[in-house]
Amino acid sequence: MLLRVWYPLPLLALAAFVLSGAAPKPERAAARIWLTGAPTRPLEARLSVVQADSHRPYVPPRGPEGTPVPLRELARLEALGDRPGIAASYLVHGDPQQALAHLNHAPATPGRESDRAAAAFLLKRHDEALSLLDSALDAQPRHPQALWNRALVLRELGLTLLAAAAFEEVAALGEPGWSTEAQEHARALRERERERSDLWRSTQTAIIALATDTAAPVPLEAARRLPGTVRAHFYDAVRSAMTAARVRDLLPLAEVLDRAFGGSALTDYTRRVAARDFTRRSPLAGEYARLVRRTHADPAAFIQRLRGSGEEDLLLGALLLSPTVPRELTEVETLASHWNDPWVGVLVQEELSRLEYLAGQPWQAGQRLRSALRKCREQELGLRCLDLQRRMSHAATSANRLAEAEELARASWREARHLGEWGQEGFAIRELGQAARYQFRVAPARAYLDEFLQRSPGDCDARNYVHRNLASLAMMRLRPEEARLALDEAQECNPSVGLVGAWILADLGRMDPRPSDEEVVRRELAQVNPTRDAPGRRVLATLIAARFAVERNHDEGKVLLRRTIAEAEPMLATDADARDARAVAYQTLAVSAGKAGAFAEVPAVVAEQLGVTAPERCVLAAAMEAERTVVVARGPSGEVRGHHDASRREPLGDDLSGVVPRELVALLRRCSQVDVLAAPPLDSRAGLLPPDLAWRYRVGPATARVPTTSLPTQHLVVANVETPMSLRLARLPSWESAREQPGQWVELEGPQATPSRVLEAMTRATDIEVHAHGMVDRSLSDATVIALAPEHDGRYALTAEAIRKVRLEGAPMVLLGACSAARLPPLLHQTSSLPQAFVDSGARAVFAATVDIPNTAGRFFQAVRERIHAGAGPAQALREERQRWLREERSAQWVTRVLLYE
């Protein structure tokens, strides 16, 4: 969207109000400006302004619009320079946008962050609110308002137990009124969750007991309440029964479940098993019960005996319970073909999908899961569908399809609540935490993981899982001590920390080393094997070994890093783990070369990663890894200078100013143009070089793109787009441009500017201008999307993924007037930006901004385009026009955030 500037009212012009009479008493002024005189409070959130934070019962406002703010009192606060006080008034009067305009200019304090979070909470920007509150509480852990507001945000996110814990922290502060209300909130939240969890836990306990206790009662009433949970464990109860009589005891339960789901599959199965020869089956059923209890000494040997026993249901169940025991797809398919049970059919499809992942066939595996989910919904299998969605979410996270992963996990959570499947809710929340972690959304990721842990008291595996992932989040924020503590806590319960822990130890080996780290890393990597880990995961194991080794023996580490790249190469088209491993291997090669002083190697390494040819002169190469950055410049005579830095203690921001030392910039000033080779994530950020240099990000082949056919000139303009009303986006008109001859100008506007029409027109255009709103919507894409007119099915977003699927035959120059078009939501290892998508599809040059741009942007981009058509190179044209605007326009700093990709 274009910049929407919220100008504070000209309050100083209202000074006459202040001077026109005696000042009111403080309590009367507070009552007017912060509504403290009312018997109830209109704002549920708390404010850091003490006078505005008096406790009264909360009553939501009746209408959507707030009440007018008192201008006389605002003028007094303005005269005092009291930005927080003014913001508090706007908040209680229902105008969070104006409150943010003032808070953004207030001094940075925990109180300011808490109030900004209150505004974000009112605007339903919960992720942002949570991040602000975590920042405030990092600085002041017992900040009353921040604790209260965090509890509200967590409650709105559905993280009930975590919200209750936050309210209990407020209650412990002993504040009059607030503590009592906080305790009431906590009690209500816990009671509501306890009722739901007790029902689920008692049902699960009752049905699991059937497989381990021959005297356990048959839970018929529980099956009527939660048929999904009972059916999930019913099969094990039948398989563990050691007598025909015990199997017959389960017939009433089978009938209840068949009535719940329809059909007679469970009744038929129970009768078939009761008719088996138990003189042969009974010992095997006893062993199966030990497998269910996870006490069987040798599952592989047991499965081998089952293969010749004729007890096919036991064999299928044992295979599903023992994923590390080798098996073939054909064996599982053959066993499944003897069943006429849709529930078992879906289970088998899940298993076949897992085997396809292990065989390096992720696309086939994903298609199988999607088909299974479709059938599962058609047959209304409830819990079975939830589990499928969770597995699909996990697979999407592993494939870096994070928007899809989040959508699937959220749908699973929503449906689990509807069905009363409390246990499945926890698993869905855990998957949401993983999707957020891979997107660098640290605050919500921590919250989801903490909620999962709150729901799993005493569960060793859950504790280990959560704390090793919390360690990963700490490392994202470059907090090695915090990561070490979390990893220690994970190992208190279970010494294994998996590949996540081994990855963290590779970083801690530099930042907070321990002598025992090497042994732990070797142990974890030794557990990686083809029966449990997909090929991409095995490449990640090679990468971890390489990253750990390169700090101790540079040459040995280089060999392993090159091995990682070679192992990943055959899988790049299909395996996201392999792509991630390759990207990080190149980053580590570049940064470790810088640490070793081998600066001349860095440009070639980065260029190889980007798939470009490194120029011999006038080039800047840059790469980063965690706390380390390397930059290398080649001057106009080919001389090489480099800089390696490992001092960063905060994550790299959006502005890269200062990353390149002055002496390297001075060397490059002698160049007419600088090619920048920047490895992810540096390639979607501005400020790497000063705005008075002509420079471009190189993201394509060495030679300029030319049209693949003799296409006529065709200038495509996308403007005045009629976006969906729900987005509340203003129409953006096209720029004033000199139009070409008739037939050379194509304009898509209004309802005609749909994604499909725009993509079709782009394929033959030689120039493209897009005047539309850019926005981040993780449910649509992991990159910024362009908001266009909706298709008949409601789809309105032009995504980077869709652009990559077309070929731009006219090799166009692309001007993205969409705000923040170059901005990239942070991902763990990879980038997927709109400009790069255009270049990948054939554009010869792309201009885009990393920040919101004002209405005057049209004149700027048109002037750049005219310079290029007059013969200037894109980088020179951008530099000259940028410098002119910086001289002539007072508010033109945004032009320094326009990037060029060629």
Side-chain angles (χ1 to χ4, degrees), residues 246-257:
R246 181 57 175 170
V247 174
R248 286 191 292 271
D249 289 343
L250 300 177
L251 266 174
L253 184 57
E255 292 167 354
V256 168
L257 293 174

Side-chain angles (χ1 to χ4, degrees), residues 389-446:
Q389 284 184 130
R390 177 174 61 84
R391 291 177 185 275
M392 291 171 67
S393 175
H394 179 78
T397 298
S398 299
N400 283 345
R401 300 193 311 272
L402 303 177
E404 178 186 343
E406 187 170 356
E407 182 181 355
L408 284 164
R410 202 169 295 284
S412 183
W413 186 11
R414 183 171 56 249
E415 292 170 28
R417 287 188 66 86
H418 174 70
L419 293 172
E421 295 290 354
W422 192 84
Q424 278 292 328
E425 289 181 42
F427 290 126
I429 290 168
R430 187 182 71 180
E431 293 305 325
L432 282 171
Q434 286 289 46
R437 182 174 75 89
Y438 272 74
Q439 294 174 74
F440 268 80
R441 293 160 54 211
V442 173
R446 287 174 62 187

Side-chain angles (χ1 to χ4, degrees), residues 788-824:
L788 298 177
E791 307 275 7
H792 67 278
D793 60 0
R795 290 183 297 111
Y796 66 88
L798 181 62
T799 67
E801 292 81 358
I803 293 167
R804 281 195 171 90
K805 293 178 181 178
V806 302
R807 180 168 179 78
L808 305 179
E809 298 177 5
M813 180 175 67
V814 181
L815 302 180
L816 293 179
C819 76
S820 303
R823 180 184 294 164
L824 180 72

Side-chain angles (χ1 to χ4, degrees), residues 281-568:
R281 181 180 173 97
S282 184
L284 297 172
E287 280 197 75
Y288 189 90
R290 294 202 296 276
L291 200 64
V292 172
R293 294 193 297 266
R294 299 184 183 182
T295 59
H296 199 290
D298 193 349
F302 175 49
I303 286 172
Q304 191 58 39
R305 289 196 299 277
L306 286 174
R307 285 182 171 127
S309 70
E311 303 294 342
E312 292 185 345
D313 66 317
L314 293 181
L315 175 56
L316 179 60
L319 287 170
L320 295 176
L321 288 172
S322 310
T324 60
V325 175
R327 80 286 311 272
E328 298 292 333
L329 270 80
T330 53
E331 178 182 24
V332 179
E333 288 178 316
T334 301
L335 289 170
S337 67
H338 299 161
W339 288 70
N340 185 26
D341 184 335
W343 186 285
V344 174
V346 171
L347 272 173
V348 167
Q349 292 303 307
E350 287 183 53
E351 172 63 10
L352 295 176
S353 173
R354 186 185 72 86
L355 294 175
E356 285 170 335
Y357 273 114
L358 291 178
Q361 299 173 323
W363 186 86
Q364 294 92 324
Q367 289 296 102
R368 188 183 292 276
L369 285 179
R370 279 186 279 275
S371 176
L373 180 60
R374 185 170 58 253
K375 292 177 182 177
C376 188
R377 292 197 182 286
E378 290 171 357
Q379 294 160 336
E380 298 182 347
L381 296 179
L383 176 67
R384 186 80 266 121
C385 307
L386 301 185
D387 200 48
L388 264 177
Q389 284 184 130
R390 177 174 61 84
R391 291 177 185 275
M392 291 171 67
S393 175
H394 179 78
T397 298
S398 299
N400 283 345
R401 300 193 311 272
L402 303 177
E404 178 186 343
E406 187 170 356
E407 182 181 355
L408 284 164
R410 202 169 295 284
S412 183
W413 186 11
R414 183 171 56 249
E415 292 170 28
R417 287 188 66 86
H418 174 70
L419 293 172
E421 295 290 354
W422 192 84
Q424 278 292 328
E425 289 181 42
F427 290 126
I429 290 168
R430 187 182 71 180
E431 293 305 325
L432 282 171
Q434 286 289 46
R437 182 174 75 89
Y438 272 74
Q439 294 174 74
F440 268 80
R441 293 160 54 211
V442 173
R446 287 174 62 187
Y448 288 127
L449 290 169
D450 282 340
E451 176 75 11
F452 174 65
L453 188 59
Q454 293 265 348
R455 288 166 169 258
S456 312
D459 186 327
C460 181
D461 290 342
R463 182 179 170 190
N464 177 277
Y465 177 92
V466 167
H467 283 290
R468 68 180 188 243
N469 280 281
L470 291 176
S472 174
L473 291 169
M475 288 304 299
M476 289 179 189
R477 296 189 294 166
L478 300 183
R479 300 184 179 187
E481 297 84 2
E482 183 181 322
R484 178 68 80 179
L485 288 173
L487 213 54
D488 287 346
E489 194 155 357
Q491 290 178 288
E492 285 178 5
C493 188
N494 181 342
S496 178
V497 291
L499 284 186
V500 170
W503 183 288
I504 295 165
L505 289 172
D507 284 322
L508 290 177
R510 297 190 313 271
M511 304 168 71
D512 183 29
R514 283 184 187 173
S516 59
D517 288 346
E518 184 170 2
E519 179 185 348
V520 176
V521 170
R522 290 184 186 279
R523 184 187 67 214
E524 298 300 337
L525 298 184
Q527 294 180 26
V528 175
N529 66 78
T531 64
R532 187 176 56 195
D533 298 291
R537 298 280 291 175
R538 303 199 292 272
V539 178
L540 285 176
T542 304
L543 171 65
I544 293 168
R547 294 178 70 236
F548 195 84
V550 77
E551 294 302 307
R552 289 148 187 80
N553 185 315
H554 182 63
D555 291 337
E556 177 187 342
K558 281 178 61 178
V559 170
L560 285 172
L561 288 166
R562 284 294 175 184
R563 183 187 301 171
T564 300
I565 294 168
E567 289 178 0

Side-chain angles (χ1 to χ4, degrees), residues 594-610:
K595 180 183 177 183
F599 292 117
E601 298 178 10
V602 174
V605 170
V606 180
E608 183 183 341
Q609 177 180 359
L610 298 175

Side-chain angles (χ1 to χ4, degrees), residues 16 48 223 266 310 343 364 383 548 566 627 652 714-715 720 768 899:
S48 61
L266 295 176
W343 186 285
Q364 294 92 324
L383 176 67
F548 195 84
E627 84 289 4
L652 202 62
Q714 188 175 97
H715 189 140
N720 277 307
I768 297 173
L899 305 181

Side-chain angles (χ1 to χ4, degrees), residues 112-132:
R112 185 195 75 160
E113 300 306 88
S114 179
D115 288 355
R116 289 173 68 198
F121 172 71
L122 291 176
L123 294 167
K124 300 188 183 304
R125 292 169 4 200
H126 297 132
D127 274 18
E128 178 186 342
L130 206 55
S131 297
L132 290 166

